[in-house]
Amino acid sequence: MTGLWLLGSVLSSVWAAEPAQVWDLELDDGAFTVASDELQWEWGAFSSLYGPGGGFTGERGWATRISGPYLNDLDASVRLAPATVELGWVLELRHWYSLDSTDLAVVERFTSGGWEAVPPYYDYPTGNGFTGASDGWISTYFALDDVLNTS
């Protein structure tokens, strides 16, 4: 049980070659916020004992328990920094995961009806989230058009 690691997220338009917003998590925590009290999510240098032993392009990022295994059966999350989202924008999530077979990770949005999963392009590996292991760093893309209408 190693956890979920996140390094660098890019918000861009599907029609633009240049990113509209980049969170370089090598430099700082990207103004992301931890949305739970379980102390699962941490920002810092990745441990060589847990996880991938380094970042996608550097040494730092967000992770569930950088210095050790994550705890099971928790609802722990980290939230993106505020950003202005426009029609046609895509979130590129660069991440690595090694989760217990009973654990599931998803990207969610908050609506008036509560939290709901945001499906990535080409769907989640298991159909309803990330589980198991990614076998290295990967990029997953999420269309944000539905995030604009959160009622």
Side-chain angles (χ1 to χ4, degrees):
M1 297 180 306
T2 307
L4 184 67
W5 300 68
L6 167 65
L7 176 85
S9 294
V10 178
L11 191 62
S12 63
S13 168
V14 292
W15 301 288
E18 293 297 317
Q21 172 76 42
V22 175
W23 293 279
D24 185 348
L25 301 179
E26 183 67 25
L27 300 175
D28 58 37
D29 66 8
F32 289 25
T33 57
V34 175
S36 55
D37 296 329
E38 291 88 9
L39 302 176
Q40 288 298 289
W41 282 96
E42 302 172 318
W43 175 84
F46 299 129
S47 167
S48 61
L49 299 176
Y50 296 95
F56 187 80
T57 58
E59 299 176 357
R60 293 176 186 82
W62 279 95
T64 52
R65 304 289 298 256
I66 287 177
S67 58
Y70 69 96
L71 300 174
N72 284 329
D73 300 322
L74 293 175
D75 186 9
S77 60
V78 64
R79 295 188 181 158
L80 288 174
T84 302
V85 178
E86 296 181 16
L87 188 64
W89 282 18
V90 174
L91 173 67
E92 176 187 3
L93 179 66
R94 295 176 183 166
H95 61 115
W96 177 95
Y97 60 94
S98 178
L99 301 168
D100 190 64
S101 62
T102 60
D103 290 336
L104 191 67
V106 296
V107 170
E108 294 180 309
R109 71 180 181 135
F110 187 77
T111 69
S112 60
W115 289 97
E116 64 181 41
V118 177
Y121 284 109
Y122 314 113
D123 212 356
Y124 284 106
T126 64
N128 57 357
F130 298 107
T131 194
S134 63
D135 297 323
W137 286 98
I138 61 172
S139 288
T140 304
Y141 301 89
F142 298 86
L144 297 180
D145 290 348
D146 287 339
V147 174
L148 293 171
N149 179 11
T150 58
S151 57

